[in-house]
Amino acid sequence: MDVRDRHPNLGEWIELIERSLADPESEPILNIDADDPHYDAVFVGGGAGGRFGAAYMRAMGGRPLIIDAWPFLGGSCPHQACVPHHIFSEAAEELDRMRWFSDELFFPKFDPSRASILELVRLFLNGRASAHAFMNWQTKEQLDVEYVLNARATIVDAHTVTAAGRTFHADNLVLGMGARPVVPPDVPGLDRPGVFDFVSLVEELGYEPTRCVIIGGSKVAMEYGAFFHATGCDTTIVSRSPLMRTRALHHVDEDLRQYVVGGMRKRGMEILEGAHPVSVNGDGARGRARSATVRLSSGEEVELETDFVFLGLGERPNTAQAQQALGIDIGANGRVVVDKRMRTNVPGIYAIGDMIDGPMEMFKARKSGVTASRNIMGEDLEFDFSEFPDFLHTTYEVTWVGLTEAEARAALDEVIIIQMPPYVEGLDTPNLPLPCAEGTMLYAFSKPELSGFQKLVVDGVTRKVLGAHHCGYGAKDAFQYLDYLIHRPEGLTIDELGWMNELFLNPEHFVQLSRLRAGKASLTHL
Ligand code: COM
């Protein structure tokens, strides 16, 4: 369908996208100026990296084209990944509160039969096309970016791509073909019905799970596991590494980790660390999963009953086509090798998003796309994503940035810790209603040990903030600014932080706590 001279409204886009998704034979969606098939760059893949990269290039006066196999822009985020994850995490937070406060105050008695994984998956499926529609509408009408959707791109050479029966020429190609969940080849039974990953969960779940075994210890494993468990689906996580000590996460403070993982256990989740999956078992070769055999850290093998196995082992980039057509270098970790300008080893070929090293997070996807575009448009711009603020959700929101206490102590002579609850030998901190803030106030006054954790790591000599670590609710905004402030060349001192204007009572108390200590010429812990 050619939409170039039409201006579908959001409802019309929803209809077109849903029709296209339902019919594998549906026609491509063309939003192109067909008179001129030559572009500054073709973005192969219109996920977050491709969409933001193309929009930035257009804003700079360039001419990008996005091609995507899906009938919408935005990639896996609004379709199978971040957006459903956030629905599930928000549900987990609400369910957790309803369980703890069941039949207290104004809370009704918690009715576990009303907490359904399947219902939330369906809620998401029924609504997801509206996000898709907005992506298509905004990209066309507000950002003026050309695209071909619902059509698979074939890379012919470094300057030529075909899609929807047409040939497009470009000075540059930007590869943003995303990634897919890892399925380990050495665990028999992972192809059984009843085994899901975050993609098949939303695409294929057709029953209400009652007992879950998660294989893997990734963020996805923790986040989805916390959600499944909060709905009442008893969950066991089987992870080779201790949770939050997996290779993909850095700068995880041990006290934060203990609070988060301890909180998951407190809620009844079983967490088997140092454990390996052996097999997923069922009736016959193709019967639905009924149990998982797991080798514990002791070497003992146990069989865990389950009707729902969920894989949370990370993701692998989709590199095969580009590697074959273009000969781009792939690193030992399976990601495309790029420099800080997102250039591959092949001139004119850039790679972005989940295809390259670094965290598979939104900021990297979008900024890597923008970095490719700005370089293509003649700027000399590097994007270093080695340091960044990070987060995950259990039933809490967990945020961290900069050095851990242990990393700081290993590097510096004098490290000051500003922490809540305070670390004071012998203090009965489970009874302390702190930190109390928006999102944890009710907990603070009735179940104080659930009210969260926070730690600020400060260089005692330069007085600069080195790291911040938080478990609670609503602190993500603060952390994206803290990240910027502490990673500036001049950094951020405890004195400057303590002189900011807090919006009382904010979820992280670093401003007020810093102010309580900043008067001291020689800093001490708090
Ligand atoms: C977000 C998708 S769901 S994008 O980053 O706006 O393209």
Side-chain angles (χ1 to χ4, degrees):
M1 170 173 298
D2 187 348
V3 294
R4 184 66 182 164
D5 296 321
R6 299 177 45 203
H7 301 280
N9 63 24
L10 293 174
E12 288 163 338
W13 268 122
I14 290 176
E15 215 176 289
L16 175 55
I17 290 165
E18 280 181 340
R19 252 198 347 258
S20 304
L21 281 171
D23 175 9
E25 305 298 317
S26 53
E27 55 176 340
I29 300 168
L30 300 173
N31 169 36
I32 50 172
D33 174 358
D35 293 340
D36 181 2
H38 193 96
Y39 293 86
D40 290 308
V42 168
F43 287 77
V44 184
R51 200 173 86 88
F52 272 72
Y56 210 99
M57 177 175 285
R58 188 74 192 116
M60 291 178 82
R63 186 172 179 224
L65 171 71
I66 301 175
I67 304 176
D68 202 289
W70 272 326
F72 55 86
L73 293 163
S76 61
C77 171
H79 198 53
Q80 295 158 337
C82 335
V83 175
H85 148 60
H86 278 85
I87 291 188
F88 301 149
S89 294
E90 196 173 310
E93 179 185 330
E94 297 288 345
L95 287 166
D96 194 45
R97 203 181 308 270
M98 291 178 75
R99 282 176 180 280
W100 285 112
F101 285 99
S102 174
D103 218 10
E104 286 179 32
L105 301 170
F106 45 80
F107 288 89
K109 190 165 172 49
F110 184 68
D111 175 1
S113 71
R114 294 192 59 187
S116 158
I117 298 170
L118 188 57
E119 196 177 2
L120 282 156
V121 165
R122 290 192 171 145
L123 177 77
F124 166 67
L125 285 176
N126 287 336
R128 72 176 169 183
S130 62
H132 299 153
F134 180 74
M135 301 284 153
N136 290 6
W137 175 83
Q138 184 193 58
T139 309
K140 178 175 185 296
E141 308 296 346
Q142 294 193 302
L143 305 175
D144 191 27
V145 172
E146 292 173 61
Y147 51 72
V148 176
L149 304 179
N150 209 25
R152 207 160 277 285
T154 301
I155 300 168
V156 178
D157 60 37
H159 298 287
T160 318
V161 179
T162 60
R166 293 163 187 257
T167 301
F168 302 98
H169 304 284
D171 296 335
N172 304 274
L173 300 187
V174 184
L175 309 174
M177 289 118 117
R180 63 192 183 287
V182 167
V183 181
D186 53 345
V187 181
L190 292 182
D191 53 351
R192 289 181 181 281
V195 180
F196 295 85
D197 52 39
F198 71 86
V199 173
S200 52
L201 176 75
V202 297
E203 300 297 349
E204 291 167 21
L205 186 72
Y207 64 98
E208 186 63 40
T210 63
R211 178 78 182 84
C212 175
V213 171
I214 296 195
I215 295 176
S218 63
K219 271 188 189 182
V220 166
M222 293 179 68
E223 295 178 323
Y224 281 69
F227 161 60
F228 299 147
H229 192 79
T231 65
C233 176
D234 283 344
T235 296
T236 300
I237 295 185
V238 177
S239 174
R240 293 173 199 233
S241 315
L243 293 190
M244 299 179 80
R245 284 269 167 269
T246 47
R247 235 177 336 127
L249 296 187
H250 69 173
H251 299 318
V252 176
D253 188 88
E254 182 57 20
D255 289 334
L256 182 79
R257 189 182 92 80
Q258 297 276 352
Y259 188 86
V260 172
V261 178
M264 294 169 80
R265 288 201 164 105
K266 198 192 292 269
R267 287 159 173 85
M269 290 181 74
E270 187 178 26
I271 297 168
L272 304 176
E273 294 173 330
H276 296 240
V278 175
S279 60
V280 172
N281 321 306
D283 295 330
R286 290 291 306 147
R288 159 96 73 92
R290 285 164 38 133
S291 70
T293 304
V294 171
R295 188 172 319 111
L296 302 178
S297 55
S298 62
E300 184 196 351
E301 283 194 7
V302 293
E303 196 169 336
L304 307 172
E305 267 184 43
T306 181
D307 58 4
F308 180 55
V309 176
F310 185 81
L311 303 180
L313 290 153
E315 290 171 67
R316 216 152 233 279
N318 298 319
T319 54
Q321 193 201 155
Q323 195 179 5
Q324 207 170 16
L326 300 167
I328 49 171
D329 279 349
I330 308 292
N333 57 4
R335 316 259 196 121
V336 180
V337 179
V338 290
D339 63 12
K340 288 190 170 143
R341 294 174 176 80
M342 308 304 126
R343 296 181 300 197
T344 69
N345 60 310
V346 181
I349 307 293
Y350 295 72
I352 60 173
D354 291 346
M355 295 190 80
I356 62 174
D357 212 355
M360 289 183 164
E361 294 292 355
M362 190 53 96
F363 83 94
K364 192 201 76 185
R366 291 171 172 166
K367 286 179 70 177
S368 60
V370 169
T371 303
S373 284
R374 290 172 68 173
N375 278 284
I376 289 168
M377 294 301 290
E379 266 189 61
D380 185 12
L381 175 78
E382 293 193 338
F383 173 32
D384 178 354
F385 44 77
S386 52
E387 291 300 330
F388 53 91
D390 211 346
F391 74 99
L392 62 79
H393 299 95
T394 56
T395 53
Y396 288 109
E397 175 192 295
V398 187
T399 33
W400 65 99
V401 65
L403 298 186
T404 65
E405 179 177 347
E407 288 167 338
R409 288 196 187 285
L412 298 166
D413 293 336
E414 207 181 322
V415 173
I416 297 299
I417 301 300
I418 306 285
Q419 186 176 294
M420 193 71 91
Y423 179 73
V424 176
E425 200 77 55
L427 185 66
D428 51 343
T429 49
N431 293 321
L432 187 71
L434 290 168
C436 57
E438 275 142 37
T440 54
M441 222 27 147
L442 286 174
Y443 286 131
F445 279 83
S446 108
K447 299 152 209 326
E449 77 279 11
L450 301 181
S451 64
F453 174 83
Q454 60 197 46
K455 178 192 278 191
L456 194 70
V457 181
V458 181
D459 182 335
V461 176
T462 64
R463 305 173 75 89
K464 285 188 181 171
V465 175
L466 304 170
H469 310 270
H470 188 269
C471 179
Y473 303 100
K476 273 194 200 164
D477 269 359
F479 272 73
Q480 61 193 26
Y481 302 120
L482 274 174
D483 166 59
Y484 173 78
L485 291 168
I486 71 175
H487 288 124
R488 292 177 308 168
E490 67 272 39
L492 173 74
T493 63
I494 186 172
D495 311 282
E496 291 165 322
L497 182 55
W499 201 242
M500 288 185 185
N501 300 324
E502 69 270 47
L503 297 179
F504 194 74
L505 192 61
N506 52 337
E508 46 85 5
H509 299 301
F510 298 136
V511 172
Q512 52 174 314
L513 295 177
S514 295
R515 192 180 298 139
L516 291 172
R517 273 295 183 248
K520 279 188 167 246
S522 176
L523 290 173
T524 52
H525 304 305
L526 186 72

